């Protein structure tokens, strides 16, 4: 796996990848049908959608209905991909996804963009800190949190061949580049980004960038942390989680999500019955979102490299007792 992280932002926005890869998937596979809740212009699919009305359906601002349409298409052998903003892809239509897709065994892919603080100026109403928790509660669902453009490309080319409900959360704008072009990242596997002996940070999404910056600061003090991208939050790579927990003896999770039900919950559930190890978290507390730029929101909700540094030191101190 080629890791190219150097702190610089990716030249391509997530919406550019979605606008390119969704049409490519549809052109490659006649069973792929794209559904959107009146947001095609926001992720770059509007022009292609207008030219291909039989392959791209604007369901309007009716997300629950869109999920019902997706489930109906899946029941007839199609491979629907449905997109809307994170809060509307999760809490607004949860019952339809759970029953019409999950319970009835219809395979659908749901993309929720601008999840967590990525919603920025759209504010608290559009800022889901609970979307992963909701999807993790659906039996056999696959839940993915995207770090960079190349990872999104890799995941999009895998999900249609996975059974069940698949939820992909990502931003719409640019993020730090982590992976080399053309890299394949198998869904369900943790990806080691950096080795370390003193603690491990399991991170997802935009928190990968913060974890790398924290690692550099900690290294100045002689503390070497491993970083693992647990982009598949469900099913979690339990073998990987146990390996690093045992080798380092201290665990920190970092996510752009509420601590309840997301990566922190997934990791602690995986470790709890197997190993005793101190686990700390960097995540949103039990609060609602706010309006503001991402830089402000990172500080407001403690989603920073400084907070990771503090939590790593706390976990290591607990290990020593």
């Amino acid at each position: 796996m080629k890791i190219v992280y150097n702190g610089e932002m990716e030249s391509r926005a997530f919406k550019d990848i979605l606008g390119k890869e969704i049409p490519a998937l549809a052109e490659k596979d006649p069973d792929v049908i794209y559904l959107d809740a009146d947001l095609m212009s926001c992720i770059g699919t509007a022009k292609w959608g207008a030219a291909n009305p039989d392959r791209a359906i604007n369901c309007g601002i009716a997300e629950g209905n869109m999920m019902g349409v997706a489930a109906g298409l899946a029941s007839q052998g199609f491979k629907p991909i449905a997109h809307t903003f994170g809060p509307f892809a999760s809490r607004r239509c949860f019952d339809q996804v759970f029953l019409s897709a999950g319970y009835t065994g219809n395979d659908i892919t749901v993309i929720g963009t601008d999840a967590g603080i990525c919603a920025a100026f759209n504010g608290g109403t559009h800022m889901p800190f609970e979307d992963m928790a909701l999807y993790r509660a659906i039996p056999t669902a696959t839940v993915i949190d995207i770090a960079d453009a190349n990872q999104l490309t890799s995941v999009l080319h895998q999900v249609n061949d996975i059974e069940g409900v698949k939820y992909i959360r990502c931003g719409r704008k640019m993020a730090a580049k982590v992976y080399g072009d053309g890299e394949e990242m198998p869904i369900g596997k943790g990806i080691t980004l950096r080795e370390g002996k003193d603690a491990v940070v399991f991170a997802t999404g935009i928190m990968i960038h913060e974890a790398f910056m924290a690692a550099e600061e900690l290294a100045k003090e002689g503390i070497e942390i491993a970083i693992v991208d647990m982009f598949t939050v469900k099913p979690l790579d339990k073998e990987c989680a146990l390996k690093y927990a045992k080798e380092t003896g201290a665990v920190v999770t970092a996510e752009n999500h509420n601590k309840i039900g997301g990566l922190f919950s997934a990791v602690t559930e995986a470790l709890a019955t197997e190993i005793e190890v101190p686990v700390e978290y960097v995540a949103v507390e039990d609060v609602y979102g706010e309006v503001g730029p991402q830089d402000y929101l990172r500080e407001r909700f403690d989603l920073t490299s400084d907070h990771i540094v503090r939590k790593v030191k706390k976990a290591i101190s607990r290990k020593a007792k």
Side-chain angles (χ1 to χ4, degrees):
M1 181 70 65
K2 186 177 182 180
I3 309 302
V4 298
Y5 175 86
N6 62 8
E8 295 181 0
M9 292 295 106
E10 172 72 72
S11 61
R12 300 168 298 167
F14 288 119
K15 64 181 181 179
D16 297 332
I17 300 303
L18 293 169
K20 174 185 176 183
E21 296 300 336
I22 289 174
L25 289 170
E27 290 169 11
K28 180 181 178 181
D29 188 339
D31 290 332
V32 171
I33 304 291
Y34 169 62
L35 310 173
D36 202 294
D38 207 30
L39 292 172
M40 290 189 192
S41 62
C42 294
I43 65 162
T45 55
K47 185 176 180 180
W48 170 77
N52 297 273
D54 59 329
R55 308 299 302 282
I57 303 170
N58 183 357
C59 295
I61 306 173
E63 294 83 2
N65 179 66
M66 179 172 70
M67 298 308 173
V69 172
L73 286 168
S75 73
Q76 298 304 304
F78 291 100
K79 301 174 182 178
I81 301 173
H83 163 261
T84 184
F85 289 157
F88 313 130
S90 55
R91 61 176 181 255
R92 178 168 289 183
C93 58
F94 181 73
D95 192 49
Q96 285 82 1
V97 173
F98 189 97
L99 291 176
S100 297
Y103 180 74
T104 53
N106 291 314
D107 305 335
I108 70 170
T109 297
V110 181
I111 302 173
T113 54
D114 277 356
I117 63 169
C118 294
F121 288 105
N122 282 333
T125 58
H126 286 50
M127 198 168 290
F129 294 143
E130 67 292 315
D131 54 325
M132 283 201 294
L134 288 169
Y135 273 95
R136 282 189 67 235
I138 299 176
T140 72
T142 299
V143 183
I144 297 168
D145 196 9
I146 298 294
D148 77 353
N150 285 325
Q151 187 171 70
L152 179 57
T153 299
S154 177
V155 165
L156 285 172
H157 284 268
Q158 296 178 67
V159 287
N160 283 329
D161 296 322
I162 296 175
E163 294 182 352
V165 172
K166 291 87 61 173
Y167 178 61
I168 303 170
R169 74 190 313 255
C170 65
R172 282 189 302 128
K173 299 179 181 178
M174 291 179 288
K177 186 170 183 176
V178 178
Y179 297 100
D181 296 342
E183 289 294 334
E184 293 297 329
M185 294 142 237
I187 291 173
K189 295 295 183 181
I191 302 172
T192 302
L193 304 177
R194 179 181 177 127
E195 294 286 2
K197 60 182 176 56
D198 298 309
V200 58
V201 175
F202 295 116
T204 63
I206 63 173
M207 296 307 293
I208 297 291
H209 174 55
E210 301 295 326
F212 269 112
M213 292 194 294
E216 292 301 317
E217 290 302 312
L218 289 163
K220 295 175 184 177
E221 302 180 43
I223 300 172
E224 296 294 333
I225 65 168
I227 301 174
V228 176
D229 181 0
M230 280 293 193
F231 71 102
T232 309
V233 182
K234 181 183 179 180
L236 190 86
D237 188 345
K238 185 175 180 179
E239 182 179 349
C240 177
L242 285 169
K243 172 183 180 292
Y244 279 98
K246 291 175 180 177
E247 289 180 356
T248 66
V251 176
V252 176
T253 63
E255 59 188 308
N256 171 28
H257 189 272
N258 192 302
K259 67 174 182 178
I260 301 170
L263 179 65
F264 173 68
S265 295
V267 170
T268 52
E269 288 163 14
L271 299 179
T273 59
E274 302 286 342
I275 182 175
E276 293 184 11
V277 61
V279 182
E280 298 288 338
Y281 65 87
V282 174
V284 178
E285 298 291 348
D286 199 19
V287 296
Y288 295 103
E290 292 184 10
V291 177
Q294 277 199 44
D295 288 346
Y296 161 76
L297 295 168
R298 287 179 191 272
E299 296 288 343
R300 166 65 181 84
F301 295 112
D302 289 328
L303 302 177
T304 66
S305 58
D306 288 343
H307 206 57
I308 295 175
V309 167
R310 293 197 294 273
K311 287 302 184 81
V312 166
K313 290 180 178 178
K314 184 177 180 181
I316 290 174
S317 70
R318 290 174 56 201
K319 176 176 67 170
K321 293 179 180 179

